[in-house]
Amino acid sequence: MPPESSLNAEMSKKISFFGLKGLKLWVWVCLVVGVFIVMILCILSLWITFRRKSRRSSSKFPFNQIPHVSKDIRVDRAGFQNPHPESLYIEMNDKSTGKTMMSHLGRTKSSDNDTLSQCSSVNHHERACSSHSGEEGGFGSAGRQYGGGPVTASPLVGLPEISHLGWGHWFTLRDLELATNRFAPVNVLGEGGYGVVYRGKLVNGTEVAVKKLLNNLGQAEKEFRVEVEAIGHVRHKNLVRLLGYCIEGVHRMLVYEYVNSGNLEQWLHGAMRQHGNLTWEARMKIITGTAQALAYLHEAIEPKVVHRDIKASNILIDDEFNAKLSDFGLAKLLDSGESHITTRVMGTFGYVAPEYANTGLLNEKSDIYSFGVLLLEAITGRDPVDYGRPANEVNLVEWLKMMVGTRRAEEVVDPRLEPRPSKSALKRALLVSLRCVDPEAEKRPRMSQVARMLESDEHPFHKERRNKRSKTAGMEIVETKDESLGPSGSETKP
Ligand SMILES: Nc1ncnc2c1ncn2[C@@H]1O[C@H](COP(=O)(O)OP(=O)(O)OP(=O)(O)O)[C@@H](O)[C@H]1O
């Protein structure tokens, strides 16, 4: 018999298997091959699904798991060169004219009716934001009163890549090179301790400020994390908004909303003075906005955020003289009631609270001290420390105490201020600032109290019960029992 016909005969034999009787051998072979193929396909599809899932979850790392990429961050100075100087962003450098600026100077637009947008903290990593008009639990009036401004259209609309941190926007280096014209020197807004800040425009037309962090022994990485943790998830009309970030190779960048009218330091002592003097109303609007931002950071979110570097150059100003607190690179996140002892005191000379400078004890009271110095700076137009002045005037706080103590309070007002503030407005501002710079940290008021005192049109203490009077160094101190002023509630009468 030829081999083919013997094979055919074999294949046609009927075989019983697994209780199935009478199936020919070739049918069995087909069945086995079919089952085998189906199994392979199932395994393959399971593997593909698993890979997709694990890729998705690994890209959603929380903040504390931002990948540790090399700490050796070198700044690509070559990227700073602009190969096409003729193609600079003309519209970006088109600063508001002096005339436009001046027209805003006296404005005191009230923000009282703003819809409040409150970001309540869920935990360290998730701060949920919601828009509301009144009620919310947890932090009482501070949260409501000092909540954020109206929710506006997202500046990120029309951009391709969403954040891998579950917040903000993950920009590529290319996006930011395009936005800043390859980090052109003409777009440099300024240089701080941790990096260079560039002005830029995203593809969707949103103006941004891009902070390119420098490599200073891992500090860039640290600053990057701290800023992202401190303000990545929070929203307040007086906090500069962090829109996103770029982590690419050795590059670390932070992308903020662009704030278009410089900072308080430039208005009081620097380049913005050419646009005119800030009026008293503009100064108080900026200061009150800063107080509201701090009240929010200290009292409305959990963990609270201690900024640690409150100073005039970190108060950005928009064209309506709204303050936008910025630069959270030194910020510290603390649980409520928690203080922190640090061995390295950070901050800026002249603004640092004495107990923090002397012992390293850090809590929100150190921000309140720095805020007091800032307020004195706005009232007097003087630097916190100015070696160009006579010895007894070098330190602003000491000089001011001396002036108030010798009943010369009205002489401390910035001589460039025209018109001068009313007596009661000056008195209120001086009183608030002196309470904030109280050498005893626990006597300083809370930021929500400070904001309320600055906001009130009437003298804040008229309605208070006065029960004790004493005279100190030419100033009449009236101690009060007003709970809202805290245990140290006291009025200073210049
Ligand atoms: N979002 C922004 N919009 C507009 N300008 C900004 C923005 N962020 C920062 N700037 C400007 O960039 C410059 C550098 O800011 P940065 O916060 O890095 O440093 P600094 O506050 O000047 O110094 P330091 O490192 O001592 O805090 C400042 O002039 C600041 O006004």
Side-chain angles (χ1 to χ4, degrees):
M1 197 189 282
E4 301 90 52
S5 45
S6 83
L7 183 66
N8 277 344
E10 280 298 313
M11 294 299 278
S12 307
K13 265 188 192 165
K14 290 192 174 176
I15 294 178
S16 299
F17 211 48
F18 290 133
L20 294 169
K21 287 181 187 170
L23 285 184
K24 292 180 178 172
L25 182 61
W26 67 266
V27 178
W28 278 113
V29 171
C30 289
L31 270 175
V32 169
V33 171
V35 168
F36 186 69
I37 290 173
V38 169
M39 272 173 66
I40 296 274
L41 285 176
C42 284
I43 290 170
L44 212 67
S45 70
L46 276 174
W47 181 72
I48 289 171
T49 325
F50 174 76
R51 267 200 53 157
R52 267 196 203 147
K53 269 193 185 159
S54 66
R55 222 185 263 167
R56 223 177 288 151
S57 64
S58 71
S59 63
K60 272 191 179 168
F61 40 78
F63 292 127
N64 60 350
Q65 288 167 22
I66 295 169
H68 267 293
V69 197
S70 160
K71 286 199 169 178
D72 180 26
I73 300 174
R74 279 166 282 112
V75 178
D76 179 12
R77 286 278 171 196
F80 287 29
Q81 306 304 320
N82 174 23
H84 310 292
E86 69 286 357
S87 65
L88 296 176
Y89 284 21
I90 301 300
E91 76 275 27
M92 283 205 220
N93 300 307
D94 184 17
K95 273 259 165 217
S96 307
T97 62
K99 207 174 166 195
T100 319
M101 284 291 176
M102 293 301 289
S103 71
H104 286 303
L105 289 182
R107 266 165 85 169
T108 54
K109 190 178 157 218
S110 163
S111 58
D112 287 350
N113 296 328
D114 283 348
T115 309
L116 299 183
S117 162
Q118 173 69 43
C119 301
S120 64
S121 170
V122 176
N123 66 30
H124 194 124
H125 305 303
E126 296 172 312
R127 292 180 187 187
C129 291
S130 65
S131 184
H132 67 85
S133 55
E135 289 309 303
E136 110 269 337
F139 296 94
S141 65
R144 284 193 290 277
Q145 208 168 343
Y146 307 109
V151 178
T152 48
S154 169
L156 301 176
V157 168
L159 299 175
E161 180 73 66
I162 55 146
S163 164
H164 286 221
L165 299 179
W167 143 89
H169 198 86
W170 188 349
F171 294 93
T172 62
L173 181 59
R174 175 102 190 102
D175 291 335
L176 300 184
E177 278 179 345
L178 275 174
T180 58
N181 203 11
R182 290 180 60 80
F183 303 101
V186 71
N187 288 327
V188 171
L189 285 167
E191 185 163 358
Y194 298 121
V196 184
V197 182
Y198 294 85
R199 188 174 179 178
K201 201 174 207 173
L202 301 177
V203 282
N204 69 354
T206 305
E207 284 206 283
V208 289
V210 180
K211 188 187 253 186
K212 199 170 195 233
L213 297 170
L214 297 167
N215 174 26
N216 35 15
L217 302 173
Q219 191 62 39
E221 193 82 26
K222 205 167 159 201
E223 159 142 345
F224 181 88
R225 285 159 182 278
V226 168
E227 290 236 21
V228 166
E229 285 197 15
I231 58 163
H233 273 62
V234 298
R235 293 262 209 300
H236 188 283
K237 66 182 190 309
N238 300 112
L239 287 180
V240 70
R241 190 165 161 206
L242 185 55
L243 301 176
Y245 53 88
C246 167
I247 310 177
E248 197 165 315
V250 293
H251 299 280
R252 295 292 177 280
M253 289 178 230
L254 294 161
V255 182
Y256 304 89
E257 67 171 309
Y258 174 67
V259 185
N260 59 5
S261 286
N263 61 50
L264 185 57
E265 198 266 335
Q266 291 166 339
W267 276 99
L268 292 177
H269 321 289
M272 297 304 279
R273 278 164 67 178
Q274 72 193 53
H275 296 288
N277 278 322
L278 280 181
T279 60
W280 177 260
E281 287 72 23
R283 292 179 197 210
M284 288 306 117
K285 182 175 182 182
I286 294 162
I287 288 293
T288 307
T290 308
Q292 288 171 339
L294 281 173
Y296 174 74
L297 293 173
H298 292 173
E299 298 169 38
I301 57 176
E302 184 74 25
K304 67 188 171 196
V305 174
V306 179
H307 184 283
R308 281 215 287 181
D309 202 12
I310 298 297
K311 60 176 176 179
S313 69
N314 285 338
I315 313 298
L316 305 180
I317 298 173
D318 73 11
D319 53 7
E320 292 194 331
F321 292 95
N322 291 303
K324 304 267 182 184
L325 180 57
S326 75
D327 206 354
F328 284 73
L330 295 182
K332 194 94 199 152
L333 277 67
L334 298 175
D335 287 327
S336 79
E338 191 191 352
S339 289
H340 177 80
I341 306 281
T342 176
T343 44
R344 265 173 76 200
V345 174
M346 313 285 265
T348 301
F349 195 50
Y351 291 94
V352 179
E355 76 284 356
Y356 178 46
N358 295 337
T359 65
L361 178 76
L362 175 78
N363 57 33
E364 67 273 30
K365 296 292 183 187
S366 17
D367 276 354
I368 298 170
Y369 182 94
S370 311
F371 174 85
V373 178
L374 184 82
L375 177 49
L376 289 181
E377 196 175 345
I379 297 169
T380 61
R382 292 186 176 212
D383 276 312
V385 177
D386 186 349
Y387 288 104
R389 294 187 182 274
N392 64 343
E393 298 185 22
V394 168
N395 183 294
L396 178 57
V397 173
E398 295 311 317
W399 172 70
L400 201 114
K401 282 181 181 168
M402 184 270 288
M403 292 298 278
V404 173
T406 52
R407 294 180 175 272
R408 295 170 65 194
E410 287 183 28
E411 292 173 41
V412 305
V413 178
D414 187 347
R416 290 166 302 173
L417 261 176
E418 205 51 65
R420 287 170 60 82
S422 68
K423 272 189 181 181
S424 65
L426 174 63
K427 191 166 145 184
R428 178 162 59 239
L430 282 176
L431 169 60
V432 172
S433 58
L434 284 172
R435 288 199 54 200
C436 291
V437 297
D438 197 309
E440 289 181 61
E442 61 288 355
K443 284 193 177 167
R444 293 172 204 150
R446 292 199 312 270
M447 269 332 283
S448 54
Q449 296 169 338
V450 169
R452 272 201 298 276
M453 288 188 257
L454 291 169
E455 277 168 349
S456 67
D457 285 328
E458 294 171 3
H459 194 283
F461 308 106
H462 276 170
K463 295 170 209 139
E464 293 156 14
R465 274 204 295 139
R466 299 163 185 206
N467 66 346
K468 203 175 168 189
R469 284 167 186 265
S470 63
K471 292 217 171 183
T472 349
M475 299 157 68
E476 194 178 354
I477 307 292
V478 181
E479 287 186 25
T480 75
K481 277 204 163 177
D482 186 349
E483 290 300 309
S484 75
L485 294 172
S488 65
S490 68
E491 176 182 1
T492 309
K493 280 187 164 181

